[in-house]
Amino acid sequence: MPRLLRALRGAVVITEDTREEVASGVEALLREGFARNGVANEDIVSILFTATEDIRSAFPAQAARERLGLADIPLLCARELDVEGALPGVIRMLVHFYSDRDRREVEHVYLGSANVLRPDLDV
């Protein structure tokens, strides 16, 4: 089967807006997503991170570069929509990567209390 472009979604909730919390959350999210899906650095095309308005201490992309050595991969950060009643402290990711897995075989990752964001997934 040829290697195809796939997308991996995920999210983590941090409890305190500090550089360490952001970095730890991003690291855990990426490591778990990569492990579940057999993603190696050379498979990754790009990663988009979003964060809710209450996260201001650090860039998730910076944490990915520093903690996982992803300096040669295009990374981008953006703000999550500020929707009334939305879960606070959320960092989301969208990883584009090459894989021989079928789209339905990609295991998305919602860590801890972020699992309420996708109750339709068995995460």
Side-chain angles (χ1 to χ4, degrees):
M1 179 176 192
R3 292 173 47 87
L4 299 170
L5 185 62
R6 297 293 179 223
L8 166 62
R9 288 288 317 268
V12 65
V13 175
I14 62 171
T15 57
E16 187 178 0
D17 182 26
T18 65
R19 293 179 69 80
E20 180 56 33
E21 278 277 318
V22 169
S24 293
V26 168
E27 180 179 12
L29 184 60
L30 289 172
R31 287 193 189 283
E32 183 66 22
F34 295 168
R36 285 189 193 182
N37 292 284
V39 177
N41 282 13
E42 60 269 8
D43 300 329
I44 303 169
V45 174
S46 63
I47 304 174
L48 171 65
F49 295 98
T50 64
T52 51
E53 293 285 330
D54 55 335
I55 299 174
R56 307 176 71 85
S57 63
F59 293 105
Q62 182 178 4
R65 285 186 199 98
E66 292 174 356
R67 297 266 181 125
L68 283 92
L70 302 180
D72 62 336
I73 295 169
L75 306 174
L76 180 67
C77 295
R79 277 282 176 222
E80 192 68 34
L81 293 175
D82 189 19
V83 175
E84 191 172 314
L87 186 63
V90 178
I91 299 169
R92 299 176 198 253
M93 69 171 184
L94 177 61
V95 180
H96 298 99
F97 67 104
Y98 284 104
S99 176
D100 56 4
R101 291 176 183 233
D102 186 77
R103 183 188 338 241
R104 292 176 300 277
E105 295 175 315
V106 174
E107 293 185 46
H108 304 286
V109 178
Y110 290 81
L111 299 179
S113 59
N115 65 355
V116 300
L117 298 171
R118 289 301 304 266
D120 58 314
L121 297 176
D122 183 22
V123 292

